[in-house]
């Protein structure tokens, strides 16, 4: 799928990993397994470092940060925040419109929301969904959560005929599949079969481990390639 100029503009303006755009010169990614991807994205102005010379590739990414990046990569716009209807998200938090949009589009799995419930509210403007529960937006995102959200954004961004051609792998090679949460398994299968995610060098996926900035950059790069 080719990115339109308007979509690319959304990406460039919304990537949370970015601080400033410019040619990549990160001392701490030299020799890193994700060096080429990080540098290419930085050169394109899509991501940049925590400083001009440091990317902090092994630092954590929060749930809100990755969700913001994934929606940007999929060209999905924010929605006006609705006070009291968006989980534990408070008015004024930078990620509020992003999370509201993701909820309304079904892009956040219920498994990531403690005490999740949704009710339909009727008023003069029509029907609205009211979401209750705890999302904990500033928590580090787990690798299984990152995979699920990436696949959700990928599918949402597709045309119907493309979506119907998606393949699902029922035989993933990871040796630690027993550690994957039940709710995340289907999303992980889709993400793997569509080449959005891959495992570790030792044959594991490490679903419960916190995703790193380098891993997030690679996933976003894979999503953009689609």
């Amino acid at each position: 799928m080719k990115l339109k100029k308007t979509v690319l503009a959304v990406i460039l303006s919304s990537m949370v990993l970015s601080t400033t755009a410019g040619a990549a010169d990160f001392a701490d990614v030299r020799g890193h397994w994700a060096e080429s991807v990080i540098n290419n994205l930085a050169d394109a102005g899509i991501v940049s470092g925590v400083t001009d010379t440091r990317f902090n590739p092994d630092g954590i990414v929060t749930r809100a940060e990755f969700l913001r990046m994934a929606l940007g990569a999929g060209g999905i716009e924010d929605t006006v925040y609705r006070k009291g209807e968006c989980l534990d998200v408070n008015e004024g938090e930078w990620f509020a419109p992003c999370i509201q949009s993701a909820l309304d589009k079904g892009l956040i799995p219920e498994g990531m929301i403690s005490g999740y419930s949704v009710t339909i509210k009727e008023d003069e403007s029509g029907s609205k969904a009211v979401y209750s529960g705890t999302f904990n937006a500033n928590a580090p995102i787990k690798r299984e959560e990152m995979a699920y959200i990436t696949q959700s954004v990928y599918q949402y961004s597709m045309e119907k005929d493309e979506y119907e051609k998606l393949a699902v792998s029922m035989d993933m090679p990871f040796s630690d599949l027993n550690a994957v949460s039940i709710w995340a398994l289907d999303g992980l299968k889709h993400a793997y079969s569509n080449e959005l995610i891959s495992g570790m060098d030792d044959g594991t996926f490490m679903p419960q481990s916190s995703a790193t900035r380098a891993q997030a950059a690679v996933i976003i790069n894979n999503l953009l390639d689609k």
Side-chain angles (χ1 to χ4, degrees):
M1 187 189 326
K2 299 295 184 181
L3 288 171
K4 297 180 181 179
K5 290 182 178 179
T6 53
V7 174
L8 184 56
V10 171
I11 296 168
L12 296 181
S13 64
S14 63
M15 287 299 180
V16 177
L17 286 183
S18 294
T19 53
T20 56
D25 186 24
F26 304 125
D28 58 351
V29 303
R30 294 169 192 160
H32 193 277
W33 63 268
E35 178 181 3
S36 61
V37 170
I38 292 170
N39 286 338
N40 288 340
L41 291 178
D43 287 341
I46 296 173
V47 300
S48 60
V50 294
T51 70
D52 289 341
T53 59
R54 291 185 62 250
F55 184 78
N56 191 21
D58 299 320
I60 65 161
V61 179
T62 69
R63 289 174 159 193
E65 287 171 344
F66 186 79
L67 187 64
R68 171 67 280 168
M69 289 188 290
L71 265 62
I76 300 172
E77 296 183 354
D78 289 347
T79 297
V80 175
Y81 169 77
R82 303 192 299 274
K83 186 176 181 180
E85 302 177 14
C86 189
L87 306 178
D88 55 335
V89 178
N90 297 313
E91 188 173 12
E93 292 179 298
W94 66 264
F95 45 74
C98 169
I99 292 177
Q100 187 76 70
S101 177
L103 285 169
D104 289 343
K105 296 171 177 62
L107 301 177
I108 300 177
E110 293 181 20
M112 289 180 67
I113 304 170
S114 300
Y116 176 80
S117 68
V118 58
T119 57
I120 303 302
K121 174 182 174 183
E122 301 283 351
D123 58 25
E124 62 278 1
S125 61
S127 300
K128 294 180 181 179
V130 178
Y131 307 97
S132 300
T134 302
F135 180 61
N136 200 6
N138 290 313
I141 192 167
K142 296 178 180 179
R143 284 174 51 80
E144 67 176 14
E145 296 167 345
M146 181 172 65
Y148 194 107
I149 287 176
T150 302
Q151 177 63 27
S152 295
V153 169
Y154 178 49
Q155 291 183 195
Y156 184 86
S157 303
M158 300 180 89
E159 298 294 337
K160 183 178 180 181
D161 60 337
E162 294 175 316
Y163 176 79
E164 293 173 347
K165 296 175 184 177
L166 281 174
V168 178
S169 171
M170 301 302 292
D171 186 22
M172 292 183 292
F174 310 128
S175 61
D176 57 347
L177 288 177
N178 61 333
V180 178
S181 300
I182 296 299
W183 64 262
L185 188 57
D186 190 57
L188 181 57
K189 290 176 180 177
H190 280 79
Y192 175 76
S193 63
N194 289 286
E195 301 179 336
L196 293 168
I197 58 97
S198 59
M200 314 301 283
D201 289 340
D202 63 359
T204 64
F205 183 71
M206 298 181 66
Q208 303 304 322
S209 295
S210 298
T212 67
R213 284 169 54 85
Q215 292 168 354
V218 169
I219 292 289
I220 293 302
N221 187 64
N222 291 344
L223 187 56
L224 289 171
D225 282 346
K226 295 290 183 177

